[in-house]
Amino acid sequence: MTKTEEFQALRPMLFSIAYRILGSVSEAEDAVQETWLRYQATSVQPGSVKAFLSTVVTRISIDVLRSARVRREEYVGPWLPEPLLTDPYEDPARSAELADSLSMAALLLLERLTPLERAVFVLREVFAFGFPDIAAAVGRSTAACHQLAARARRHMATGRVRFEADRKEREKLAERFFDAFREGDVGGLAELLAADVQMIGDSGGKAPQFKPVILGAGHTAQVLAAFVPLVVRGGGVVQPQQVNGQPGAVFRDRDGQVLSTWALDVRDGRIQTIHTVNNPDKLEHIGPVADAWVALRQANQTDRPTD
């Protein structure tokens, strides 16, 4: 195989590693591209191309994450990962780990770890790398990586959320949720929400938003119902879609441009959390992004009486 063929074969895995470490599609893509440039420039053929490329993308991602954390501390409102609609990497033997690690809830838990802990956890718990390869990737001893992994597992275990195992049941619940949403059915929405549901929105101060965090089934259902006319009047579309491995939707304006993504965390037959990403900077990889402020003005102007 040529270098290009070797790299392309491993590219989905490299992206998936980088995304889980960084929580950013754009930064993960940049890390993978930088990995290719470094591989292309090396004159030595590595004994294991997979180990070499995994090491490079991991080290790049750790460096990027360290600088990104400073920016995230200054972020306006709640910070959520960039939504990922499709994970390019598949491994039937690790499907459960891959799916769990992709959810918004899991990625937010990973944010609590140090960059080294996060990298070690992702390589070990998600991708099942051996500790010698992990040690080489992060530049630490095998013993140190064992300690990092143990510490990361403890941190993750304290807040880990287990979602509904039956994907069909989750999809059915999401379908009922978005049907009730389109109809503005407050009662129907409230029935599908956990009593302590949270609706968390990431606009980065760059898009309209009711509140950064909304709590409780009744309040959340009322806010959702109030949002419906703005979507309908503006000719918007709610497109059901897997978001970070969970049921969700992409919201588009009347021209098909992206306004927002929603991801639903389902547990015990109820929606526990709704993560909404409205920051246009985090939606560009999905497609052309709408100006949400313009869409909101158009919706508010529609159906106004004319003289």
Side-chain angles (χ1 to χ4, degrees), residues 65-80 111-115 282:
L65 181 59
R66 284 172 173 152
S67 61
R69 290 206 158 184
V70 176
R71 297 192 301 273
R72 291 175 191 178
E73 288 173 359
E74 301 170 351
Y75 196 78
V76 177
W79 180 94
L80 294 177
E111 282 290 305
R112 302 178 184 179
L113 307 182
T114 68
K282 294 187 174 185

Side-chain angles (χ1 to χ4, degrees), residues 3-4 15-16 31 45 49 59 73 103-104 117 175 231 235 263 306:
K3 270 191 171 183
T4 301
F15 172 85
S16 292
Q45 179 63 27
V49 176
R59 290 186 177 184
E73 288 173 359
S103 72
M104 287 280 182
E117 288 172 345
E175 183 178 353
V231 176
T306 56

Side-chain angles (χ1 to χ4, degrees), residues 214-236:
I214 300 166
L215 303 174
H219 189 197
T220 301
Q222 290 174 352
V223 170
L224 289 170
F227 183 61
V228 173
L230 300 179
V231 176
V232 174
R233 285 204 302 267

Side-chain angles (χ1 to χ4, degrees), residues 22-274:
L22 293 166
S24 165
V25 173
S26 55
E27 290 173 345
E29 289 174 342
D30 288 346
V32 171
Q33 181 60 26
E34 179 62 24
T35 300
W36 162 245
L37 294 176
R38 295 189 189 184
Y39 182 46
Q40 194 178 36
T42 185
S43 58
V44 178
Q45 179 63 27
S48 168
V49 176
K50 177 183 176 181
F52 175 83
L53 293 177
S54 300
T55 293
V56 174
V57 81
T58 297
R59 290 186 177 184
I60 291 171
S61 298
I62 289 171
D63 289 342
V64 172
L65 181 59
R66 284 172 173 152
S67 61
R69 290 206 158 184
V70 176
R71 297 192 301 273
R72 291 175 191 178
E73 288 173 359
E74 301 170 351
Y75 196 78
V76 177
W79 180 94
L80 294 177
E82 288 184 10
L84 184 65
L85 303 188
T86 304
D87 187 358
Y89 179 70
E90 295 181 359
D91 180 356
R94 307 290 299 171
S95 59
E97 292 82 358
L98 288 167
D100 281 352
S101 66
L102 195 63
S103 72
M104 287 280 182
L107 291 170
L108 288 172
L109 280 176
L110 284 170
E111 282 290 305
R112 302 178 184 179
L113 307 182
T114 68
L116 277 178
E117 288 172 345
R118 185 165 181 165
V120 170
F121 183 89
V122 166
L123 292 176
R124 181 62 183 173
E125 301 298 322
V126 181
F127 293 92
F129 276 58
F131 277 106
D133 287 336
I134 295 172
V138 302
R140 294 293 189 273
S141 68
T142 301
C145 288
H146 276 282
Q147 293 177 345
L148 287 165
R151 194 157 58 235
R153 281 194 295 268
R154 286 196 299 270
H155 284 306
M156 294 294 288
T158 58
R160 173 157 288 184
V161 174
R162 291 295 179 185
F163 304 110
E164 297 286 354
D166 191 323
R167 181 176 293 275
K168 288 184 179 180
E169 290 301 317
R170 286 185 295 166
E171 295 299 336
K172 286 180 183 177
L173 190 145
E175 183 178 353
R176 291 169 57 199
F177 172 81
F178 286 115
D179 284 346
F181 173 81
R182 292 185 189 94
E183 295 167 4
D185 181 359
V186 176
L189 287 167
E191 287 180 1
L192 301 174
L193 302 174
D196 57 349
V197 65
Q198 297 183 68
M199 186 171 181
I200 303 171
D202 176 346
S203 70
K206 298 183 178 182
Q209 186 169 294
F210 282 102
K211 288 182 179 179
V213 180
I214 300 166
L215 303 174
H219 189 197
T220 301
Q222 290 174 352
V223 170
L224 289 170
F227 183 61
V228 173
L230 300 179
V231 176
V232 174
R233 285 204 302 267
V237 175
V238 182
Q239 174 190 337
Q241 170 77 55
Q242 288 279 313
V243 180
N244 285 81
Q246 305 298 318
V250 176
F251 284 67
R252 299 181 184 273
D253 70 0
R254 61 189 178 192
D255 297 318
Q257 298 185 107
V258 181
L259 285 164
S260 177
T261 64
W262 291 20
L264 311 179
D265 292 347
V266 178
R267 188 168 77 249
D268 299 327
R270 292 288 185 272
I271 295 168
Q272 186 70 37
T273 312
I274 305 169

